[in-house]
Amino acid sequence: MGRGSWIRLRTLILLRWWAVVGQITALIVAERALHLNLEIGLCYMVIGASVISNLVASLVFPANKRLTETENLAMVLFDLIQLGLLLYLTGGLNNPFSVLIVGPVVVSASSLSSRSSLFLGLAAILIVSGLARFHLPLITESGSVLRVPVIFLFGNWVAIIIGIVFLGVYSRWTVNEIRTMSGALQATQMALAREQKLTDLGGVVAAAAHELGTPLATIKLTSSELADDLPEGSDSRDDALLIRDQADRCRDILRSMGRAGKDDLQLRHAPFTAVIDEAAEPHAQRGKSLLFDHAPIGAAPHDPPIIPRSPEIIHGVRNLIQNAVDFAEHRVWIETRWSDQKITMRIMDDGPGYPPHLLGRIGEPIVRRRARDVMSNRREYEGMGLGLFIAKTLLERSGAVLSFANGTDSFRGDSRRRERIGAVVEVVWPLAQLTYNSPANSGGIGQNTPFTH
């Protein structure tokens, strides 16, 4: 759906009714309270045009109609011209309500395409410039002409022009930012939902046990009847009995797996290094070497801490590793460290790294352009900004803090890491943010229910 189809006709009709009420109120106050001599008949004719257009639109079109780009442009342009005519009849830029001409421009910038918004902005500027020179004067009951000094008139003109440009651009950028963030968050939710389905595959085991129960019962029944018909002590009878016993064994194993699949703690929690290995597994056979380095920090326990095996962590880490593999030349290093206070993961590669001018924007929903030398070799990865945004959002939801850098900046002078010249992503989790701190503190994940034969 295009920008011009976002707004319902009903919304613009209601806004126009409010404008009509305000304009009539202002005319009544100006005539009755301030005793200004206005071309009151012409003013009400201009307002009447808005009333008629509203009534026609309400009767001809359904209330839930969404306007096309052209229809929306016509509606806003009509409001702009109507307001310009009303200001022409009531003093032009000497009228303090002249600032309201900025309103239709803001509406167009937030709902129409760039071309339509630019067209309406230029139209508003032309109308304001014309009103600064051509307008009917505001005359009091005593015959005095109300006008502001020329310098103030010029300042009012400049202020309205600046308001049109600034508020139009500001509204445009804000709506674009909201739209981009909304789309990116929707993509994040979809990615999380897919990962959740993979995590829930343990339930498939129980379903398989249920579905296989009937064929196994048939095998057992048939083998028992076959054994009864065969001579006692024959090899064929022994084979039939063996088939029956193995069918019973398969039934018991599947029944045990169905129960264990629901209570398997390994499905919900796992050692930190095992979760990282699982996240990296889909990218292990893509032609790049994945080099793992797992180690504790200082006096921390040698065994890695047990952490939630959550879809957010798995999918977030997987996206980061995918980005490293896509841009690496030959190798990707995945380094994990843990202490009593925090868990750290660092992903490094030997690729070209992040373009320096984009380092401050890494993790935003969409990075529109990458350096030409990178894009020329990897056209398929133009959506990198969204992938990193999803990873960053999911990992931050688990309590992590992410930072992005280039190896040429981070490891300058480090001979052991001189090959790691590409992109560097560091993810740090405070241990207190995770459900299980460590095997020593949590008592491990406990024993799973064994399969009974």
Side-chain angles (χ1 to χ4, degrees):
M1 183 181 292
R3 278 179 170 271
S5 302
W6 289 2
I7 295 181
R8 293 182 303 165
L9 175 62
R10 177 181 175 84
T11 302
L12 290 183
I13 288 176
L14 288 175
L15 289 175
R16 187 177 287 172
W17 280 127
W18 279 108
V20 166
V21 171
Q23 291 168 359
I24 293 176
T25 303
L27 284 178
I28 293 175
V29 171
E31 184 184 20
R32 303 290 177 84
L34 303 179
H35 305 292
L36 297 178
N37 292 325
L38 302 174
E39 294 290 342
I40 200 70
L42 293 176
C43 289
Y44 280 121
M45 285 182 59
V46 173
I47 297 175
S50 288
V51 174
I52 293 173
S53 67
N54 256 13
L55 292 175
V56 170
S58 300
L59 295 174
V60 173
F61 300 103
N64 61 351
K65 173 181 173 57
R66 293 193 179 274
L67 301 176
T68 64
E69 174 82 14
T70 303
E71 292 169 341
N72 209 334
L73 175 61
M75 291 280 289
V76 178
L77 184 60
F78 176 87
D79 292 336
L80 192 63
I81 295 174
Q82 188 263 358
L83 182 58
L85 289 174
L86 198 58
L87 289 173
Y88 169 80
L89 296 172
T90 56
L93 297 190
N94 294 290
N95 188 330
F97 289 104
S98 59
V99 70
L100 293 178
I101 206 165
V102 176
V105 177
V106 175
V107 172
S108 69
S110 60
S111 61
L112 300 179
S113 65
S114 299
R115 180 179 300 177
S116 298
S117 299
L118 180 61
F119 171 76
L120 287 173
L122 292 175
I125 291 174
L126 288 176
I127 291 174
V128 171
S129 300
L131 291 174
R133 183 173 180 84
F134 305 104
H135 56 269
L136 298 183
L138 286 174
I139 303 175
T140 65
E141 190 176 29
S142 61
S144 302
V145 177
L146 296 178
R147 63 167 61 95
V148 297
V150 176
I151 187 66
F152 284 100
L153 187 67
F154 176 75
N156 194 22
W157 175 79
V158 171
I160 293 176
I161 298 298
I162 293 175
I164 290 172
V165 175
F166 174 77
L167 292 178
V169 172
Y170 178 82
S171 176
R172 185 76 180 180
W173 285 356
T174 301
V175 170
N176 281 340
E177 190 75 16
I178 293 173
R179 183 188 180 201
T180 300
M181 185 64 68
S182 176
L185 289 175
Q186 184 179 8
T188 302
Q189 293 297 334
M190 293 174 62
L192 183 58
R194 287 195 298 268
E195 197 65 38
Q196 184 68 54
K197 289 181 181 179
L198 294 176
T199 303
D200 291 341
L201 280 178
V204 175
V205 176
H210 174 75
E211 295 296 331
L212 290 174
T214 299
L216 285 175
T218 303
I219 293 173
K220 178 183 178 181
L221 178 62
T222 304
S223 59
S224 297
E225 292 177 349
L226 183 62
D228 292 338
D229 294 336
L230 293 172
E232 188 75 23
S234 65
D235 292 340
S236 298
R237 176 182 171 83
D238 292 339
D239 290 340
L241 292 175
L242 179 62
I243 291 174
R244 184 190 66 182
D245 294 339
Q246 293 302 311
D248 285 338
R249 186 183 180 197
C250 289
R251 179 201 61 195
D252 295 337
I253 290 175
L254 285 171
R255 184 180 300 165
S256 177
M257 290 176 64
R259 292 193 301 268
K262 298 176 183 179
D263 301 323
D264 191 354
L265 297 177
Q266 183 69 20
L267 290 176
R268 299 194 300 269
H269 296 87
F272 173 57
T273 53
V275 174
I276 301 303
D277 292 343
E278 178 184 354
E281 191 274 335
H283 305 293
Q285 305 298 326
R286 293 184 53 198
K288 311 291 175 61
S289 299
L290 298 184
L291 306 177
F292 295 88
D293 181 9
H294 306 310
I297 299 175
H302 185 270
D303 293 332
I306 304 299
I307 68 168
R309 186 178 167 273
S310 68
E312 290 93 340
I313 295 177
I314 293 174
H315 193 82
V317 172
R318 184 169 293 160
N319 269 18
L320 295 179
I321 295 175
Q322 174 185 341
N323 185 70
V325 171
D326 283 343
F327 285 87
E329 294 294 337
H330 305 290
R331 287 177 290 277
V332 174
W333 293 266
I334 303 173
E335 180 183 280
T336 61
R337 298 290 185 266
W338 59 89
S339 67
D340 294 333
Q341 287 78 35
K342 65 180 181 179
I343 300 175
T344 303
M345 178 189 68
R346 188 178 288 167
I347 301 174
M348 302 154 283
D349 61 68
D350 58 355
Y354 301 117
H357 66 284
L358 292 180
L359 266 177
R361 299 177 57 197
I362 298 297
E364 292 184 6
I366 297 294
V367 176
R368 300 186 184 277
R369 297 188 302 272
R370 289 187 58 81
R372 293 185 180 273
D373 57 339
V374 175
M375 293 301 299
S376 62
N377 296 327
R378 297 173 174 82
R379 299 295 299 177
E380 75 281 3
Y381 209 60
E382 294 185 16
M384 160 197 158
L386 183 57
L388 287 181
F389 170 80
I390 291 175
K392 186 172 183 288
T393 301
L394 292 178
L395 292 174
E396 286 178 346
R397 183 179 298 183
S398 70
V401 177
L402 284 75
S403 58
F404 302 88
N406 283 324
T408 51
D409 303 323
S410 303
F411 304 135
R412 185 179 290 117
D414 189 341
S415 59
R416 296 178 303 168
R417 296 174 174 172
R418 61 179 178 271
E419 293 181 319
R420 308 177 190 187
I421 59 174
V424 178
V425 184
E426 185 176 69
V427 186
V428 179
W429 288 271
L431 208 54
Q433 291 288 106
L434 301 177
T435 304
Y436 283 73
N437 288 343
S438 67
N441 296 334
S442 67
I445 63 174
Q447 291 184 341
N448 288 314
T449 304
F451 295 161
T452 57
H453 299 166

